[in-house]
Amino acid sequence: MEPKAAGPAVTPRSKSRMLVMAAGVLVLAGIVVLIWPMLGSSMADTKSSLNPAKIDGKRAYEYLKKICAIGPRPAGSAANTTQRELVAKHFRDQGATVTVQAFKGVDPSNGQPVSMANLVGSWFPERVERVVIGVHYDTRPFPDEDTNPANRRIPFIGANDGASGVAMLMEIAHHLKDSKTPWGVDLVLFDGEELVYGGGQDQNGEYFLGSKHFGAMYAQSQRGRTRTTPHYVAGFVLDMIGDKNLTIDKEPHSVDFAPRLVRDIWSVAKALEVKQFRDRMGQTAVQDDHLPLYNSGIPAIDIIDFDYPHWHKATDLPENCSAESLEAVGKVMTAWLNKPKARR
Ligand SMILES: [Zn+2]
């Protein structure tokens, strides 16, 4: 390349040629911008281009402890209802429109019907393009994987497996009303994720009742969809994100279902230097609430740390979770939410 000052003299003829060339370059640039999203690439995220909310990890952790203090919260229990009402009030206080999706499940231990309910907090309900972030709020009846068989019949608290996701949504709720997110946002509590008894191969019960119901309702709402029908452009399930030694790998089903979302989230985490998100494939393809969401037509991924030593054990307690872990996930999620549409 030549230095600018040494360029050839500009005659009227070469000037018009330069204009044609400049126009050509502009057209090319325009085409690149237009097809960029179709190539599946997003513009590189940098720390300064991102706008995470001021997530308060300590407050989120207090929510986690408050939820655990209610006691075990299996589907159909009074504690489960108490928790749902607590979150409904919180969502309303933070500017959401709240709806309850009631449905019936079955308790596999006695065949009796169980009243269940998903809770949906909607911000910017008028927006057609929406994002759903879901967590399960019911806890498993018993800590069936405890190494000590005597502990397998004591009530299960579910600090990480249950409360961490709910606490995270409660914290994110603080930052939506005044956020710059271009999307409508629905924060959803799924009931009946694990009204399941027994461990290992010896399990009795059906998983994901709440997200299956939510997915069925959503699929129904999309029949005969028009330009003005609200729909989800992305779905996230947050599960077991409170582990004090948090490591979140790319969950294999998520990579299959919605690779672009996985790439986007990990790109945001990398730019923000949130080290808990590791750039590697998880060891386990996890069955979780993202499967029913995906089956109902939502590109959905699971953000989960499946490497938790207290999983389904009596020791899944607040002391094994941390404010830092919740803060890390909240930062990544809100930075993703707040990205302008044009930068995706
Ligand atoms: Zn579980």
Side-chain angles (χ1 to χ4, degrees):
M1 198 192 279
E2 288 177 339
K4 267 182 186 167
V10 176
T11 63
R13 216 190 128 140
S14 65
K15 202 171 175 180
S16 68
R17 245 169 76 187
M18 280 172 72
L19 275 173
V20 169
M21 278 170 66
V25 168
L26 273 175
V27 167
L28 267 177
I31 289 170
V32 168
V33 167
L34 281 174
I35 68 167
W36 194 261
M38 296 171 212
L39 296 174
S41 311
S42 56
M43 283 157 131
D45 293 309
T46 60
K47 204 165 189 172
S48 60
S49 74
L50 293 168
N51 185 21
K54 291 189 172 51
I55 294 290
D56 184 340
K58 289 203 181 93
R59 181 169 59 185
Y61 185 65
E62 289 304 313
Y63 288 143
L64 181 149
K65 287 199 288 189
K66 192 172 170 177
I67 294 159
C68 290
I70 299 172
R73 307 165 300 284
S77 67
N80 177 287
T81 304
T82 301
Q83 178 189 206
R84 184 173 67 249
E85 286 171 353
L86 180 149
V87 178
K89 180 183 183 312
H90 178 77
F91 280 178
R92 277 193 207 99
D93 289 347
Q94 302 309 325
T97 304
V98 172
T99 51
V100 173
Q101 283 185 345
F103 62 98
K104 283 266 187 276
V106 173
D107 186 328
S109 69
N110 55 20
Q112 291 298 307
V114 180
S115 294
M116 299 188 186
N118 297 328
L119 182 81
V120 184
S122 298
W123 281 260
F124 315 110
E126 73 288 355
R127 293 184 188 164
V128 171
E129 288 188 308
R130 311 191 62 77
V131 170
V132 55
I133 309 180
V135 304
H136 77 88
Y137 76 101
D138 63 311
T139 48
R140 207 178 169 85
F142 298 108
D144 302 290
E145 303 287 342
D146 206 285
T147 32
N148 177 359
N151 283 346
R152 291 178 200 155
R153 299 308 288 172
I154 66 171
F156 178 61
I157 291 296
N160 193 24
D161 192 0
S164 72
V166 179
M168 188 76 263
L169 293 196
M170 289 177 77
E171 176 57 29
I172 289 174
H174 281 278
H175 306 280
L176 290 175
K177 187 162 42 87
D178 301 320
S179 80
K180 293 266 190 299
T181 185
W183 314 108
V185 179
D186 294 330
L187 302 186
V188 181
L189 263 54
F190 298 126
D191 203 352
E193 194 262 346
E194 46 187 353
L195 186 52
V196 174
Y197 298 82
Q201 299 298 312
D202 204 19
Q203 298 192 54
N204 184 20
E206 186 183 343
Y207 283 93
F208 321 126
L209 298 177
S211 54
K212 282 177 183 169
H213 180 77
F214 182 87
M217 294 290 104
Y218 177 69
Q220 204 172 59
S221 78
Q222 298 302 294
R223 284 190 202 121
R225 167 176 151 180
T226 68
R227 286 212 330 248
T228 56
T229 310
H231 61 271
Y232 291 120
V233 299
F236 300 97
V237 166
L238 308 179
D239 198 1
M240 304 210 292
I241 45 146
D243 181 357
K244 65 181 176 189
N245 300 314
L246 189 68
T247 50
I248 301 177
D249 298 339
K250 299 172 179 175
E251 188 278 316
H253 284 317
S254 306
V255 173
D256 284 345
F257 298 161
R260 203 173 148 197
L261 276 186
V262 173
R263 220 158 39 221
D264 272 9
I265 287 288
W266 264 258
S267 159
V268 166
K270 189 177 177 197
L272 294 177
E273 294 165 30
V274 175
K275 299 275 188 289
Q276 287 90 340
F277 286 73
R278 302 192 295 193
D279 189 13
R280 63 168 82 166
M281 188 70 99
Q283 301 280 306
T284 315
V286 183
Q287 307 270 318
D288 208 346
D289 287 317
H290 62 319
L291 301 169
L293 297 190
Y294 179 72
N295 289 334
S296 74
I298 305 170
I301 67 170
D302 197 12
I303 294 177
I304 186 166
D305 174 4
F306 205 58
D307 180 22
Y308 180 57
H310 309 284
W311 176 70
H312 292 181
K313 292 180 182 162
T315 47
D316 184 1
L317 297 168
E319 67 223 45
N320 291 314
C321 299
S322 79
E324 292 72 26
S325 299
L326 294 171
E327 188 160 314
V329 175
K331 268 172 72 175
V332 171
M333 294 313 297
T334 54
W336 185 91
L337 280 173
N338 290 342
K339 272 171 74 166
K341 284 185 192 179
R343 287 202 59 252
R344 284 160 203 278

